[in-house]
Amino acid sequence: MNKLISLCMIVKNEEQFLERCLKSVNQWVDEMIVVDTGSTDRTKDIARAFTDNIYDFKWINDFAAARNEALKHASGTWILILDADEYMEENDIRGLRDFLAGEKPSSKFVYRVTVRNFMDSSNHTGISESPILRIFPNRMGFEYYRPIHEQIRLSSGSSYEIIALPFQILHSGYLEHVVAAQNKHDRNMSIFEQMMSRTKLNAYDHSMIGQQLSMMRKSEEALPHLKIAFENGSKSSPWYLNNLWTMLDVYLQSQKYIEAWSLIDEHMTEYTDYPDIRCVRGIILLSLGLREQAKQELVLAHREAENRARLNHNIALVSPNLGMRMPLWLLAVTFENENNFQSCIHYLTLLLRADDQDIEAWVKMVEVLSLNESAANIAAFLNRLLHVDAAPQKVIAMAKISISLGNQQLAQYYMNRLPSLDVLSLSEQLRYALLSKNLTVFEQCLMNRASDGLTDSAAVKMVILGSIVWSRPEWIELCNQTLTDESIGLQFARNLLQPDRAGQRDPSFDPVATDLLSQLYFLKAWDTFDSLIDRFSSAAVINQLANVFLAKHFVQPAMQYYQHLLDHNELDATSCENLALLHAMDGKIEEALEFWEQAISLRPEAPIRLFIQYCFYCKDSHDKSEMKARLAEQHPNDAKSALIQGL
């Protein structure tokens, strides 16, 4: 019987992912070719459970050479290329097999699929999609070239047509812990460095180097390569759009919002109706302080995504996350910041109806509901929306969220439904004891787990707080100071609890004091908070506390602290900006303009958003003209932008 599909792979130390990959396609491919380039873990053992076609190949810093070694051993009609950290869902691999069974192999065609990359939340896109050539006929002269980001060519030098197929490959190799564990960045850069020493780089090479540096968060190094690719590449090249997208992401990473806006406005106009591009425009406008315009873009992004989903069209140009989820999330957060909690809850509800496993939305929903609703009402609402009580894992998650947010009554509701306290970490158990003001339970938890010295930073922070609340300096010594990130906090608590140092204050402890004081407030340990606040009433601490309280919607204490700072002429730039926004939302524009002007004056290099917000709200042409002149002085390149000129 003829073999239809040969899966060809190159692997090295892929025990974490290989089984998932091979299982996902095992029923649908006719043979598996696995070329190992030097594994020292269980990779080959895992592969042997699926295939006997395992070959060793000495790694020579050349992905194309390794790929071609795999092709040599394939006997199927069609080649499917996968990496170990990729996999396919059944509908996609089955659909691909059905399609190829009806196709006649030809050297004139190569097939493209979409690779969906999962990334950590620190990355702006979260999920991105890339079109990649992964299917081609066997024994017709196709081979790989280029040592990294290898490409397919015909050995004869002839050209071929690319046909896009509606199938997806899922890729988790860009998650940060995976990249770090496999040392991918260093490996890739060493290959690029060899290339640069041997040959003149073309536009595609520069694009790949720029994208690699961008993933390494080396934005300043990435941008020159991306710009060379942008200026010298062809818009029709399949990689060109990804280069533009990476440039956009680099600008956002570097907070170069005007450059990002100009890139879209001048070079991506044909894509501006895509939801992810609209969302990026919304992100830029939010970052520049133009909230109303941002909300309009985000609403349009959401509507367009819904329309595309209804018509079964591509949801996004590159990033489905920015196309579908992020507009709703940003609208929720923006309305929250404006104290419009009803609209915030509306958009969070839409998010959770689309994905009831969105933990970030769970946390925000509980946080916002806790501002005005009783624990009973919150639990009832969450049960209607998420069916929490019917799912033990959701009950556990909600208990953890309630504890972290300091909602004791809601935490108690879910704690009563837990199968065991062991599902909570030590830090969560200690925090709940603090919330419940239960010294006995706190001490019991602590003594049961502290025999070897506490090293977990989250638990150590709870010990610090507990030692301060209940005046128990001996608990500090249960923590291993050399093995925790909370060593400064431990020293602060140790000094605080020593009677002979009760009247002393060390300014170097101000950041720690701010963090601990805010935590005491959130835990409702108000007696302890009140007893300490006068001892740490420096301008730096009070400014930071006021800003933290405002962000958490504790408006009354925030305003009391702002008034104190205002009376003593001690407001810092962040506090002035926050007060400007508060006054603007209340319609007190003159007061808002004064605070923005003060925020600008307090910073040697004020961020451009302060100038933009001032100019947006200012109606006096003379004052606006003067502020634009100051903007041009501090941000000369940005001042020429059409976005700025239109203010």
Side-chain angles (χ1 to χ4, degrees):
M1 181 177 176
N2 292 333
K3 296 173 183 175
L4 182 67
I5 302 176
S6 294
L7 171 69
C8 290
M9 305 180 67
I10 58 175
V11 298
K12 181 179 179 182
N13 293 336
E14 296 285 2
E15 65 178 8
Q16 182 179 1
F17 296 115
L18 184 58
E19 184 175 9
R20 180 187 68 182
C21 174
L22 298 179
K23 270 186 176 179
S24 75
V25 299
N26 188 37
Q27 283 184 258
W28 310 99
V29 301
D30 300 280
E31 69 175 356
M32 295 178 172
I33 309 298
V34 179
V35 169
D36 188 276
T37 61
S39 292
T40 56
D41 64 1
R42 294 179 51 252
T43 293
K44 289 203 281 188
D45 293 335
I46 293 168
R48 286 190 191 99
F50 293 86
T51 181
D52 295 326
N53 298 317
I54 302 170
Y55 305 93
D56 291 314
F57 183 77
K58 184 179 179 181
W59 179 244
I60 55 173
N61 263 17
D62 191 326
F63 282 96
R67 295 271 187 221
N68 290 331
E69 178 66 18
L71 298 184
K72 280 169 44 179
H73 300 284
S75 59
T77 303
W78 296 94
I79 301 293
L80 167 64
I81 301 293
L82 288 179
D83 289 333
D85 52 12
E86 297 174 340
Y87 59 102
M88 296 182 73
E89 293 185 339
E90 183 175 337
N91 286 343
D92 287 299
I93 183 61
R94 182 176 58 201
L96 176 62
R97 183 177 181 86
D98 290 345
F99 171 79
L100 292 177
E103 286 294 290
K104 182 179 180 181
S106 167
S107 61
K108 295 180 180 179
F109 305 107
V110 169
Y111 297 98
R112 186 180 76 198
V113 294
T114 298
V115 175
R116 197 173 210 206
N117 304 297
F118 297 98
M119 302 179 178
D120 294 282
S121 58
S122 58
N123 184 281
H124 280 290
T125 57
I127 299 173
S128 68
E129 293 183 349
S130 306
I132 298 182
L133 308 182
R134 289 297 185 87
I135 299 107
F136 51 91
N138 192 17
R139 308 297 184 192
M140 288 197 171
F142 288 103
E143 65 179 9
Y144 279 95
Y145 73 104
R146 292 180 43 86
I148 187 169
H149 296 293
E150 58 279 13
Q151 300 291 295
I152 298 171
R153 69 182 177 190
L154 282 163
S155 56
S156 64
S158 301
S159 60
Y160 56 78
E161 183 182 344
I162 297 171
I163 297 177
L165 299 180
F167 308 118
Q168 280 193 344
I169 294 171
L170 306 177
H171 176 223
S172 57
Y174 288 154
L175 295 172
E176 289 177 359
H177 72 278
V178 177
V179 173
Q182 298 185 343
N183 208 23
K184 288 185 176 182
H185 289 327
D186 291 343
R187 177 202 65 192
N188 291 353
M189 285 310 300
S190 70
I191 299 174
F192 281 129
E193 286 164 6
Q194 285 182 6
M195 287 176 59
M196 286 186 275
S197 67
R198 293 174 182 171
T199 185
K200 183 179 179 181
L201 302 180
N202 59 27
Y204 176 74
D205 296 325
H206 281 289
S207 180
M208 293 301 102
I209 293 171
Q211 291 183 48
Q212 177 66 48
L213 290 167
S214 171
M215 284 192 289
M216 296 168 71
R217 295 293 183 268
K218 295 185 176 181
S219 301
E220 294 303 319
E221 295 177 44
L223 201 51
H225 290 286
L226 296 168
K227 284 183 174 179
I228 290 171
F230 167 67
E231 292 164 1
N232 296 283
S234 167
K235 288 188 99 172
S236 62
S237 298
W239 55 265
Y240 192 82
L241 178 58
N242 274 343
N243 190 80
L244 281 175
W245 185 266
T246 307
M247 283 181 69
L248 197 55
D249 194 46
V250 165
Y251 283 138
L252 294 179
Q253 289 177 36
S254 308
Q255 299 183 23
K256 296 180 178 179
Y257 301 117
I258 300 299
E259 288 95 329
W261 184 271
S262 298
L263 184 66
I264 294 173
D265 206 33
E266 296 171 15
H267 303 288
M268 302 179 76
T269 52
E270 65 265 49
Y271 307 123
T272 49
D273 283 337
Y274 276 91
D276 48 346
I277 295 295
R278 282 204 178 278
C279 183
V280 171
R281 285 164 64 95
I283 290 171
I284 295 168
L285 291 167
L286 279 177
S287 302
L288 295 175
L290 299 171
R291 292 191 182 192
E292 292 305 315
Q293 297 92 320
K295 286 189 289 187
Q296 291 172 19
E297 286 286 352
L298 295 170
V299 167
L300 287 171
H302 170 57
R303 288 176 182 169
E304 180 63 21
E306 283 192 322
N307 187 49
R308 285 172 175 269
R310 187 167 54 252
L311 297 173
N312 204 26
H313 293 171
N314 286 339
I315 294 296
L317 184 66
V318 175
S319 172
N321 184 56
L322 282 175
M324 287 292 288
R325 179 189 183 274
M326 196 56 69
L328 293 174
W329 173 255
L330 291 174
L331 283 164
V333 172
T334 302
F335 281 114
E336 180 206 2
N337 291 337
E338 295 175 352
N339 298 323
N340 185 339
F341 301 125
Q342 185 175 353
S343 293
C344 172
I345 290 168
H346 167 71
Y347 285 108
L348 290 174
T349 300
L350 292 179
L351 260 181
L352 290 168
R353 283 176 177 163
D355 178 11
D356 70 354
Q357 302 298 316
D358 191 329
I359 300 299
E360 192 174 23
W362 288 15
V363 173
K364 184 59 68 179
M365 180 69 86
V366 175
E367 183 178 13
V368 173
L369 289 172
S370 295
L371 295 171
N372 299 304
E373 296 291 339
S374 68
N377 287 345
I378 295 171
F381 177 81
L382 294 174
N383 208 34
R384 288 194 303 272
L385 180 63
L386 300 169
H387 310 291
V388 175
D389 287 349
Q393 290 304 314
K394 289 183 178 180
V395 171
I396 294 169
M398 284 301 176
K400 290 171 176 280
I401 290 168
S402 305
I403 291 168
S404 71
L405 294 174
N407 189 327
Q408 193 274 333
Q409 291 181 330
L410 189 63
Q412 181 66 61
Y413 175 88
Y414 290 115
M415 291 285 283
N416 291 339
R417 287 157 174 77
L418 292 182
S420 164
L421 284 181
D422 292 339
V423 299
L424 301 180
S425 68
L426 175 59
S427 66
E428 289 162 344
Q429 293 181 38
L430 293 173
R431 188 175 181 87
Y432 182 68
L434 272 166
L435 261 178
S436 305
K437 300 179 171 53
N438 195 323
L439 168 60
T440 302
V441 171
F442 189 96
E443 190 164 27
Q444 219 169 30
C445 292
L446 184 57
M447 295 309 167
N448 287 343
R449 304 280 287 274
S451 57
D452 300 323
L454 291 172
T455 58
D456 176 66
S457 292
V460 168
K461 179 173 279 189
M462 293 305 107
V463 175
I464 293 169
L465 290 165
S467 70
I468 294 171
V469 169
W470 286 302
S471 299
R472 298 292 293 270
E474 68 272 19
W475 290 348
I476 298 296
E477 306 314 318
L478 298 173
C479 304
N480 191 325
Q481 184 163 322
T482 61
L483 297 177
T484 176
D485 295 333
E486 297 297 328
S487 56
I488 297 175
L490 287 168
Q491 187 58 48
F492 172 79
R494 195 175 281 117
N495 291 351
L496 183 66
L497 294 168
Q498 288 177 3
D500 58 326
R501 304 198 63 173
Q504 299 181 27
R505 177 183 161 272
D506 184 346
S508 66
F509 284 131
D510 280 356
V512 177
T514 303
D515 180 44
L516 292 178
L517 284 166
S518 61
Q519 288 299 320
L520 289 169
Y521 196 92
F522 301 150
L523 289 164
K524 300 177 176 61
W526 288 312
D527 289 343
T528 307
F529 177 89
D530 290 340
S531 70
L532 294 178
I533 187 64
D534 289 339
R535 292 176 56 185
F536 302 100
S537 56
S538 69
V541 169
I542 299 302
N543 271 285
Q544 290 175 47
L545 275 177
N547 294 327
V548 169
F549 287 162
L550 185 66
K552 294 295 182 181
H553 308 290
F554 294 108
V555 178
Q556 185 175 354
M559 295 308 296
Q560 288 175 348
Y561 290 146
Y562 284 138
Q563 188 60 54
H564 169 84
L565 293 163
L566 186 60
D567 292 343
H568 292 81
N569 196 28
E570 291 178 332
L571 287 167
D572 66 14
T574 302
S575 294
C576 288
E577 183 176 1
N578 284 338
L579 285 168
L581 290 168
L582 273 176
H583 283 83
M585 284 191 290
D586 287 342
K588 300 174 181 177
I589 304 303
E590 290 303 316
E591 292 91 334
L593 294 174
E594 289 178 12
F595 282 118
W596 270 313
E597 189 165 10
Q598 190 174 348
I600 291 168
S601 299
L602 286 170
R603 289 182 172 171
E605 294 185 10
I608 195 168
R609 69 174 180 274
L610 298 178
F611 296 97
I612 290 174
Q613 288 169 319
Y614 181 98
C615 292
F616 178 76
Y617 282 97
C618 182
K619 303 305 179 187
D620 184 286
S621 58
H622 178 265
D623 291 345
K624 183 185 288 192
S625 178
E626 284 194 347
M627 189 58 71
K628 280 190 173 182
R630 292 174 68 180
L631 185 158
E633 184 179 336
Q634 289 198 29
H635 303 275
N637 293 329
D638 293 340
K640 301 171 185 175
S641 162
L643 186 65
I644 302 299
Q645 294 293 321
L647 286 172

